[in-house]
PDB file of all heavy atoms in Angstrom:
ATOM      1  N   SER E 879       3.627  -7.928   9.370  1.00  0.00           N
ATOM      2  CA  SER E 879       3.240  -8.794   8.262  1.00  0.00           C
ATOM      3  C   SER E 879       4.041  -8.361   7.052  1.00  0.00           C
ATOM      4  O   SER E 879       4.204  -7.167   6.794  1.00  0.00           O
ATOM      5  CB  SER E 879       1.753  -8.612   7.957  1.00  0.00           C
ATOM      6  OG  SER E 879       1.462  -9.077   6.667  1.00  0.00           O
ATOM      7  N   ASP E 906       2.092 -14.328   6.291  1.00  0.00           N
ATOM      8  CA  ASP E 906       0.677 -14.630   6.047  1.00  0.00           C
ATOM      9  C   ASP E 906       0.593 -15.660   4.928  1.00  0.00           C
ATOM     10  O   ASP E 906       0.692 -15.310   3.746  1.00  0.00           O
ATOM     11  CB  ASP E 906      -0.071 -13.357   5.672  1.00  0.00           C
ATOM     12  CG  ASP E 906      -0.302 -12.465   6.869  1.00  0.00           C
ATOM     13  OD1 ASP E 906      -0.827 -12.954   7.875  1.00  0.00           O
ATOM     14  OD2 ASP E 906       0.078 -11.277   6.808  1.00  0.00           O
ATOM     15  N   MET E 939      -3.303 -19.585   6.894  1.00  0.00           N
ATOM     16  CA  MET E 939      -4.695 -19.377   6.488  1.00  0.00           C
ATOM     17  C   MET E 939      -4.966 -20.347   5.339  1.00  0.00           C
ATOM     18  O   MET E 939      -5.014 -19.980   4.156  1.00  0.00           O
ATOM     19  CB  MET E 939      -4.915 -17.913   6.075  1.00  0.00           C
ATOM     20  CG  MET E 939      -4.844 -16.952   7.249  1.00  0.00           C
ATOM     21  SD  MET E 939      -4.681 -15.219   6.805  1.00  0.00           S
ATOM     22  CE  MET E 939      -2.897 -15.111   6.708  1.00  0.00           C
ATOM     23  N   PRO E1012      -9.742 -12.451   7.537  1.00  0.00           N
ATOM     24  CA  PRO E1012      -8.434 -12.720   6.912  1.00  0.00           C
ATOM     25  C   PRO E1012      -8.491 -12.774   5.394  1.00  0.00           C
ATOM     26  O   PRO E1012      -9.536 -13.000   4.802  1.00  0.00           O
ATOM     27  CB  PRO E1012      -8.069 -14.098   7.480  1.00  0.00           C
ATOM     28  CG  PRO E1012      -9.358 -14.711   7.889  1.00  0.00           C
ATOM     29  CD  PRO E1012     -10.215 -13.582   8.332  1.00  0.00           C
ATOM     30  N   GLY E1013      -7.344 -12.497   4.788  1.00  0.00           N
ATOM     31  CA  GLY E1013      -7.202 -12.619   3.324  1.00  0.00           C
ATOM     32  C   GLY E1013      -6.451 -11.475   2.695  1.00  0.00           C
ATOM     33  O   GLY E1013      -5.756 -11.679   1.691  1.00  0.00           O
ATOM     34  N   PHE E1014      -6.546 -10.303   3.289  1.00  0.00           N
ATOM     35  CA  PHE E1014      -5.901  -9.149   2.651  1.00  0.00           C
ATOM     36  C   PHE E1014      -5.419  -8.161   3.690  1.00  0.00           C
ATOM     37  O   PHE E1014      -5.980  -8.037   4.777  1.00  0.00           O
ATOM     38  CB  PHE E1014      -6.902  -8.428   1.720  1.00  0.00           C
ATOM     39  CG  PHE E1014      -7.455  -9.308   0.646  1.00  0.00           C
ATOM     40  CD1 PHE E1014      -8.643 -10.021   0.833  1.00  0.00           C
ATOM     41  CD2 PHE E1014      -6.752  -9.485  -0.546  1.00  0.00           C
ATOM     42  CE1 PHE E1014      -9.141 -10.869  -0.148  1.00  0.00           C
ATOM     43  CE2 PHE E1014      -7.243 -10.328  -1.542  1.00  0.00           C
ATOM     44  CZ  PHE E1014      -8.441 -11.018  -1.336  1.00  0.00           C
ATOM     45  N   GLY E1016      -4.499  -4.076   4.710  1.00  0.00           N
ATOM     46  CA  GLY E1016      -5.099  -2.781   4.451  1.00  0.00           C
ATOM     47  C   GLY E1016      -6.579  -2.672   4.772  1.00  0.00           C
ATOM     48  O   GLY E1016      -7.250  -1.719   4.329  1.00  0.00           O
ATOM     49  N   ASP E1046      -4.264  -9.034  14.845  1.00  0.00           N
ATOM     50  CA  ASP E1046      -3.806  -8.916  13.469  1.00  0.00           C
ATOM     51  C   ASP E1046      -4.912  -8.372  12.601  1.00  0.00           C
ATOM     52  O   ASP E1046      -5.978  -8.965  12.478  1.00  0.00           O
ATOM     53  CB  ASP E1046      -3.396 -10.307  12.973  1.00  0.00           C
ATOM     54  CG  ASP E1046      -2.956 -10.322  11.516  1.00  0.00           C
ATOM     55  OD1 ASP E1046      -3.061  -9.293  10.838  1.00  0.00           O
ATOM     56  OD2 ASP E1046      -2.530 -11.395  11.062  1.00  0.00           O
ATOM     57  N   GLY E1048      -5.474  -4.258  10.593  1.00  0.00           N
ATOM     58  CA  GLY E1048      -5.825  -2.860  10.815  1.00  0.00           C
ATOM     59  C   GLY E1048      -5.136  -2.251  11.997  1.00  0.00           C
ATOM     60  O   GLY E1048      -5.588  -1.236  12.551  1.00  0.00           O
ATOM     61  N   GLY E1068       0.945  -4.444   9.094  1.00  0.00           N
ATOM     62  CA  GLY E1068       1.545  -4.474   7.762  1.00  0.00           C
ATOM     63  C   GLY E1068       1.490  -3.074   7.168  1.00  0.00           C
ATOM     64  O   GLY E1068       2.504  -2.357   7.112  1.00  0.00           O
ATOM     65  N   SER E1069       0.311  -2.670   6.770  1.00  0.00           N
ATOM     66  CA  SER E1069       0.159  -1.371   6.089  1.00  0.00           C
ATOM     67  C   SER E1069       0.697  -0.219   6.928  1.00  0.00           C
ATOM     68  O   SER E1069       1.418   0.652   6.437  1.00  0.00           O
ATOM     69  CB  SER E1069      -1.325  -1.109   5.796  1.00  0.00           C
ATOM     70  OG  SER E1069      -1.897  -2.209   5.144  1.00  0.00           O
TER      71      SER E1069
HETATM   72  C1  LIG C1069      -5.127 -10.660   6.838  1.00  0.00           C
HETATM   73  C2  LIG C1069      -3.694 -10.400   7.111  1.00  0.00           C
HETATM   74  C3  LIG C1069      -3.493  -8.934   7.462  1.00  0.00           C
HETATM   75  C4  LIG C1069      -2.072  -8.533   7.590  1.00  0.00           C
HETATM   76  C5  LIG C1069      -1.940  -7.181   8.261  1.00  0.00           C
HETATM   77  O1  LIG C1069      -5.303 -11.983   6.465  1.00  0.00           O
HETATM   78  O2  LIG C1069      -3.243 -11.248   8.164  1.00  0.00           O
HETATM   79  O3  LIG C1069      -4.178  -8.696   8.673  1.00  0.00           O
HETATM   80  O4  LIG C1069      -1.388  -9.497   8.252  1.00  0.00           O
HETATM   81  O5  LIG C1069      -2.589  -6.283   7.451  1.00  0.00           O
HETATM   82  P1  LIG C1069      -2.715  -4.739   7.830  1.00  0.00           P
HETATM   83  O6  LIG C1069      -1.774  -4.438   8.976  1.00  0.00           O
HETATM   84  O7  LIG C1069      -2.310  -4.036   6.564  1.00  0.00           O
HETATM   85  O8  LIG C1069      -4.136  -4.530   8.188  1.00  0.00           O
END
Side-chain angles (χ1 to χ4, degrees):
S879 160
D906 286 307
M939 290 165 272
F1014 301 92
D1046 177 355
S1069 309

